[in-house]
Structure formats: C-alpha cells, structure tokens
Amino acid sequence: GSLSQLEDTAPRIVEHPTDLLVSKGEPATLSCKAEGRPAPAVEWYKDGERVETDREDPRSHRTLLPGGSLFFLRILHGRRGKPDEGVYVCVARNYLGEATSRNASLEVAGE
C-alpha cells in the first residue's frame, strides 16, 4: 500500500483524568482524550458502573464532551447521597480493541 493510506489503529489514551476535589454545586471536568482509527467511542465508568450522560438522559447534569472528557454542570451532593463522588475511569473503544485510562477519584469538598 502507499504511504498515504492510513492504517487503522487500536485506541490509546493520550490524556488521562486526574483526581478532583470539587465544592458541592460547582462545575467540574474529568479529562480524557483518546486516539485511534477509526476514532474511538468513549465511555465513563464510576466505581465500575457505566456513567449515564445527557446522551442517554437529556436531563442529566453530566455531558460527554466531543473530545471524550466528562463535564459536570454542577456536582450533586445531598444528605441522602453523593451521586458524583467515586472513582472514575474512561474507556475508549473501536473495533480493534479498547484502552482504559488511569483511575481518577472525584471527591466533594466540605460538609
């Protein structure tokens, strides 16, 4: 094949999320950037459970940004629960495989 022909490649994470400490009600972004051909689809998991974003639920306060980062409009934190606190990983997939980011913990400051 000619050099101009690009080969498909399995995903790799080029920007990993980092631990966050966020005040309740503040916005937050967990970074994740993946490369691959075809462009990988990114999903987030919190404590092993898949994170729903506004793609599944338009009312969600979590948005999957075009690059793969996870954006929180505001960190939810109530007496009854800490729905956003936990350990997050981002997973990028295409037909050649998948890549998983490092763990990043999100903690809510001050109670």
Side-chain angles (χ1 to χ4, degrees):
S2 63
L3 283 175
S4 62
Q5 199 175 358
L6 285 162
E7 287 187 19
D8 286 355
T9 54
R12 66 189 185 98
I13 308 279
V14 291
E15 189 182 327
H16 291 263
T18 53
D19 294 351
L20 285 185
L21 181 62
V22 189
S23 301
K24 181 167 95 181
E26 292 292 302
T29 304
L30 283 164
S31 303
C32 180
K33 204 162 164 196
E35 286 178 354
R37 286 183 68 86
V42 170
E43 287 185 332
W44 283 87
Y45 291 85
K46 174 174 99 69
D47 301 329
E49 306 249 316
R50 195 164 165 275
V51 172
E52 289 212 331
T53 63
D54 60 359
R55 292 191 182 184
E56 291 89 22
D57 177 1
R59 295 186 313 273
S60 175
H61 67 295
R62 291 182 288 244
T63 301
L64 188 62
L65 299 178
S69 295
L70 185 64
F71 175 69
F72 299 81
L73 290 171
R74 61 193 179 284
I75 292 298
L76 298 184
H77 199 66
R79 267 186 224 109
R80 289 195 309 280
K82 308 176 177 182
D84 291 327
E85 211 166 66
V87 176
Y88 289 79
V89 295
C90 106
V91 180
R93 290 191 183 90
N94 67 15
Y95 80 96
L96 284 168
E98 64 177 58
T100 303
S101 74
R102 291 196 287 268
N103 287 356
S105 66
L106 188 151
E107 286 184 58
V108 179
E111 259 307 288

